[in-house]
Amino acid sequence: MSLIEPISRKLIRLGKLYQSLLAKSTEHLDVNRYHYVLSLIYHHDGQLSQKALAEILDKDKSAMVSIINLLTAKGFVYRENNPNDRREQLLKVTEKAKLAVPQIVASIKNINTDITRGISDDDMKVFERVLLQMQNNIKPLITT
């Protein structure tokens, strides 16, 4: 019997390499994790609650609180009560984040360009379609 490497290992390996490169290219910004989370908060410009962000990222409530607490401690985000629903807190970015996020987005764009060099647009569309199909295929297997 031959050993088969799980597809997830290949994706995790790529993800670690990607995150390492992103952290290196943004180390001057003091953002060593959660670049995409910070970018999402910035993009939604104070209209996103912790709960909504957790749903977008498919994270549980306690993990989301820890992530937001870290970004808050680093001076990138803060919580503000929703004037329309006092039970809900909206996430807002600080001036520090407003300076950092455009640089993070530029780094992501550059990394994406570098790692997809030599891969056609058609192949990238196939890659994204295959990933989505795998996600769709695995979801019912988890819930059963």
Side-chain angles (χ1 to χ4, degrees):
M1 174 169 66
S2 63
L3 183 62
I4 299 173
E5 182 181 22
I7 292 170
S8 62
R9 290 259 321 131
K10 296 172 185 181
L11 296 172
I12 290 168
R13 193 167 40 251
L14 176 62
K16 283 182 178 181
L17 291 168
Y18 190 104
Q19 291 301 326
S20 176
L21 187 55
L22 182 58
K24 183 178 177 183
S25 71
T26 59
E27 65 188 346
H28 64 287
L29 300 173
D30 193 32
V31 183
N32 50 359
R33 304 175 72 183
Y34 310 121
H35 300 85
Y36 184 62
V37 176
L38 181 56
S39 298
L40 277 172
I41 296 167
Y42 174 92
H43 177 75
H44 286 87
D45 194 26
Q47 300 303 308
L48 197 60
S49 67
Q50 274 184 205
K51 181 180 177 183
L53 182 60
E55 289 171 5
I56 290 169
L57 297 169
D58 197 24
K59 296 268 187 197
D60 64 57
K61 183 180 176 181
S62 62
M64 197 75 264
V65 168
S66 295
I67 292 168
I68 299 304
N69 286 346
L70 176 73
L71 291 173
T72 299
K74 290 229 175 221
F76 289 108
V77 299
Y78 63 97
R79 297 168 177 98
E80 191 172 275
N81 286 334
N82 183 345
N84 300 321
D85 183 352
R86 289 281 177 198
R87 298 168 296 167
E88 184 177 72
Q89 290 186 321
L90 298 175
L91 301 171
K92 298 197 173 193
V93 293
T94 63
E95 289 302 314
K96 181 178 178 180
K98 289 177 184 176
L99 294 173
V101 171
Q103 295 176 63
I104 292 168
V105 171
S107 289
I108 291 170
K109 184 177 180 182
N110 290 336
I111 292 168
N112 288 353
T113 298
D114 289 343
I115 70 170
T116 58
R117 187 166 286 120
I119 302 172
S120 71
D121 288 345
D122 287 342
D123 283 348
M124 283 305 300
K125 288 177 185 170
V126 168
F127 174 70
E128 291 173 12
R129 201 167 46 245
V130 168
L131 285 177
L132 183 59
Q133 185 62 52
M134 288 177 165
Q135 285 178 337
N136 291 337
N137 288 347
I138 204 166
K139 283 179 183 177
L141 302 174
I142 294 170
T143 58
T144 57

